[in-house]
Amino acid sequence: MTSLTAKDKDAVRTFWAKVSGKAEDIGADALARMLAVYPQTKTYFAHWKDQSPTSPSARKHGITVMTGVADAVTKIDDLKGGLLSLSELHAFTLRVDPANFKILSHNILVVMAIMFPTDFTPEVHVAMDKFLAALALALAEKYR
Amino acid sequence: MVEWTDKERSTVSAIWEKIDIDVIGPEALARVLIVYPWTERYFGTFGDIFSATAVLGNAKVAAHGKVVLKALDSAVKNMDNIKATYADLSRLHYEKLSVDPDNFKLLADCITIAVACKLKSALNPQAQATWQKFLSVVVDAMSSQYF
């Protein structure tokens, strides 16, 4: 199971409450940065006409991903159980190499630092890093 | 050899100019110790670094953060020769300090996040890509003299 302490979960929930209004912008910006800074991630989007970081497809997908993160915050007490179907999707249909979860997580953290520089304290940083790592672990649950 | 376009060179310089080493250095090192607590193993003489509050108030952490970030200046001034520029530092970190080179990447990520807090949207995706490319070259150079 995850190693999220009660303190971590509180920090995540509190921070998320502050930032959730900007979830769409966070998602779009994080996805754009992932494509720009780690171009190898574009290989998963060969079916898009426009794979550039600011394309409509990229923005839409960033929003989709962040909606998943928002949902995970509500299921923070049981990520493995709560994200079962998403895990199956990533394992059997999308088959995203789990190394990429780390890459996207890093970019989500960068966007949070940019958009909420005073709220994204080191304590919030570690709680969010742990939460995204636990989320990634839950997503990879069904891989093998 | 690492290739840099003119745009990449000016992006790195522009970012470096906006960074206050005395602020970003301590912040980046504090984040490393708080977010990746196993790194505490390298700072046995720093006193209490075992909670976020302690780290953030620790004068030795702040002083050392400045030392570490100041060292990045050599890379900014020698972009075509980063590997040679850091050979001695790399040897020091391997032979005397016994630092696991994976930690260089953790520090690079925390520097990026500290810079992101300062520059905010001025660190656009392209700038972030260039900055991270620059840091990854430094990380490789720091690992280059290990075994």
Side-chain angles (χ1 to χ4, degrees):
Chain A
M1 211 24 236
T2 80
S3 62
L4 292 172
T5 62
K7 185 165 171 248
D8 292 328
K9 293 181 193 176
D10 274 340
V12 170
R13 279 189 281 245
T14 306
F15 183 68
W16 188 253
K18 282 194 189 126
V19 313
S20 58
K22 294 262 180 191
E24 293 197 345
D25 288 336
I26 295 173
D29 198 9
L31 210 294
R33 286 169 192 274
M34 186 186 81
L35 296 169
V37 182
Y38 305 88
Q40 71 272 16
T41 57
K42 288 189 198 168
T43 55
Y44 288 97
F45 307 108
H47 54 285
W48 289 350
K49 246 194 314 245
D50 183 359
Q51 289 163 35
S52 66
T54 48
S55 68
S57 310
R59 182 174 171 86
K60 181 160 174 274
H61 195 65
I63 293 173
T64 301
V65 167
M66 217 59 200
T67 306
V69 172
D71 185 47
V73 175
T74 68
K75 297 175 172 159
I76 199 168
D77 288 318
D78 179 20
L79 288 171
K80 274 195 196 148
L83 301 179
L84 215 51
S85 49
L86 258 184
S87 179
E88 280 168 359
L89 176 72
H90 283 75
F92 305 130
T93 310
L94 303 176
R95 287 168 294 192
V96 174
D97 188 317
N100 294 289
F101 299 148
K102 220 164 184 278
I103 289 175
L104 182 55
S105 296
H106 168 71
N107 286 294
I108 290 173
L109 295 177
V110 169
V111 172
M112 287 177 165
I114 286 175
M115 291 176 68
F116 306 96
T118 40
D119 292 300
F120 195 66
T121 61
E123 292 99 318
V124 170
H125 178 170
V126 61
M128 283 305 304
D129 192 44
K130 286 178 75 174
F131 167 64
L132 291 173
L135 213 181
L137 217 56
L139 275 183
E141 177 69 16
K142 289 287 176 200
Y143 270 54
R144 53 179 176 173
Chain B
M1 248 254 335
V2 185
E3 303 276 329
W4 301 103
T5 63
D6 287 340
K7 183 151 196 275
E8 285 173 329
R9 291 174 197 275
S10 57
T11 298
V12 171
S13 302
I15 291 175
W16 189 242
E17 251 156 61
K18 297 197 182 84
I19 290 176
D20 183 352
I21 290 176
D22 289 342
V23 170
I24 300 292
E27 193 190 316
L29 186 58
R31 283 184 189 268
V32 169
L33 288 165
I34 292 167
V35 181
Y36 311 106
W38 51 93
T39 56
E40 286 158 10
R41 72 190 307 280
Y42 300 113
F43 303 106
T45 57
F46 279 26
D48 188 1
I49 46 172
F50 307 115
S51 70
T53 323
V55 169
L56 291 165
N58 188 306
K60 287 188 174 174
V61 170
H64 195 64
K66 294 180 195 177
V67 166
V68 167
L69 206 66
K70 211 166 273 172
L72 253 191
D73 194 55
S74 334
V76 177
K77 303 242 166 26
N78 291 285
M79 281 177 71
D80 290 313
N81 210 6
I82 291 177
K83 191 164 172 199
T85 304
Y86 282 97
D88 285 344
L89 254 184
S90 175
R91 226 167 280 125
L92 173 78
H93 281 72
Y94 178 41
E95 289 167 7
K96 293 253 154 54
L97 305 175
S98 303
V99 173
D100 183 339
D102 277 353
N103 294 294
F104 300 144
K105 179 153 194 316
L106 301 182
L107 175 59
D109 283 350
C110 285
I111 291 173
T112 299
I113 285 181
V115 168
C117 284
K118 178 76 181 38
L119 264 50
K120 303 197 264 278
S121 55
L123 189 74
N124 59 50
Q126 270 317 116
Q128 183 190 340
T130 301
W131 180 248
Q132 290 198 208
K133 174 181 170 179
F134 169 70
L135 286 183
S136 71
V137 173
V138 175
V139 166
D140 278 349
M142 283 301 293
S143 313
S144 68
Q145 301 304 313
Y146 278 61
F147 53 84

